[in-house]
């Protein structure tokens, strides 16, 4: 079991590193988010099973729509999404090393897509599995802005047992191994908790790095 520095004992393969990003790094990433959202594909709320999500998503590398990845945002405006930058690959590799304490954990980790979600005060994310990728490589998650209550359960079902973790601005969360397909979600955003200087006055940016295992 992996223990979060905030207290809860997490499932195997899940790791929480509070304050992993410095304030300067958070502010710089928030600036990158502004650039991404001004790119060829605007943020949009995806529709899942007939219901529009409360978060707005912009993608890099591959465009995610429920249950599939494409290079073009066929459900938005048909434009190709921005390329996945090399610096995000290196950031993801360092994240795995720091989260696990294994200096080889980043070897072979080549994330090729990022789902970048924006949560306003009322946004939530229902319990779900990240299983649209062919690769079993870990998911790396970064938080900027307001804190949220993040819930992670098991890969068996979306109900108990689960663990609630407070993710604050600058926190790193990784789920891989036995937790790679764990059900997880965001039950609450805590308005007014973004630290001064993080680059975001309200709301929460969540950057998740993944390996799709796709070609082309």
């Amino acid at each position: 079991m992996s223990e979060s520095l905030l207290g809860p004992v997490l499932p195997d393969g899940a790791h929480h590193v509070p304050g992993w990003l410095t304030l300067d790094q958070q502010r710089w990433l928030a600036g990158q988010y502004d650039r991404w959202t001004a790119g060829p594909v605007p943020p949009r709320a995806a529709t899942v099973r007939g219901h529009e999500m409360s978060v707005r998503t912009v993608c890099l590398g591959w465009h995610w729509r429920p249950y599939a990845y494409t290079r073009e945002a066929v459900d938005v405006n048909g434009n190709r999404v921005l390329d996945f930058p090399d610096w995000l690959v290196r950031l993801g590799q360092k994240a795995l090393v720091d989260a696990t304490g294994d200096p080889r954990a980043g070897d072979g980790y080549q994330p090729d897509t990022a789902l970048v979600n924006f949560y306003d005060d009322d946004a939530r994310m229902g319990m779900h599995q990240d299983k649209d990728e062919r690769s079993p490589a870990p998911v790396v998650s970064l938080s900027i802005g307001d804190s949220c209550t993040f819930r992670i359960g098991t890969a068996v079902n979306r109900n108990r047992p689960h663990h609630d973790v407070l993710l604050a601005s600058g926190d790193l969360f990784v789920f891989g191994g036995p937790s790679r397909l764990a059900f997880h979600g965001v039950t609450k955003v805590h308005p007014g908790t973004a630290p001064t200087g993080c680059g975001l006055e309200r709301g929460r940016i969540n950057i998740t790095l993944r390996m799709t295992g796709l070609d082309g």
Side-chain angles (χ1 to χ4, degrees), residues 80-105:
R80 185 182 175 98
V81 300
L82 291 169
D83 291 339
F84 190 87
D86 289 342
W87 61 265
L88 265 182
V89 176
R90 296 190 295 272
L91 189 67
Q93 292 169 343
K94 185 177 188 305
L96 291 185
V97 171
D98 290 352
T100 63
D102 178 359
R104 306 301 300 272

Side-chain angles (χ1 to χ4, degrees), residues 127-198:
M127 296 291 280
H128 67 284
Q129 294 172 296
D130 290 345
K131 58 180 182 180
D132 294 333
E133 301 80 25
R134 295 179 183 174
S135 169
V139 172
V140 170
S141 172
L142 303 170
S143 296
I144 301 167
D146 285 334
S147 300
C148 77
T149 299
F150 175 76
R151 178 167 292 174
I152 183 167
T154 70
V156 178
N157 60 62
R158 65 186 72 240
N159 302 315
R160 291 181 182 275
H162 58 245
H163 305 264
D164 284 348
V165 181
L166 184 70
L167 295 183
S169 193
D171 285 8
L172 162 67
F173 199 94
V174 171
F175 42 108
S179 290
R180 174 58 181 83
L181 293 180
F183 282 91
H184 60 282
V186 170
T187 63
K188 183 176 177 59
V189 173
H190 303 279
T193 55
T196 301
C198 74

Side-chain angles (χ1 to χ4, degrees), residues 57-81:
T57 306
V58 64
C59 301
L60 308 175
W62 290 88
H63 177 75
W64 174 82
R65 64 187 195 279
Y67 320 119
Y69 282 103
T70 53
R71 291 295 192 187
E72 291 76 30
V74 295
D75 60 338
V76 183
N77 59 9
N79 290 339
R80 185 182 175 98
V81 300

Side-chain angles (χ1 to χ4, degrees), residues 1-25:
M1 305 291 280
S2 171
E3 185 170 352
S4 162
L5 296 183
L6 289 182
V9 176
L10 300 174
D12 288 341
H15 305 273
H16 177 211
V17 186
W20 188 69
L21 294 169
T22 67
L23 203 58
D24 285 345
Q25 290 172 323

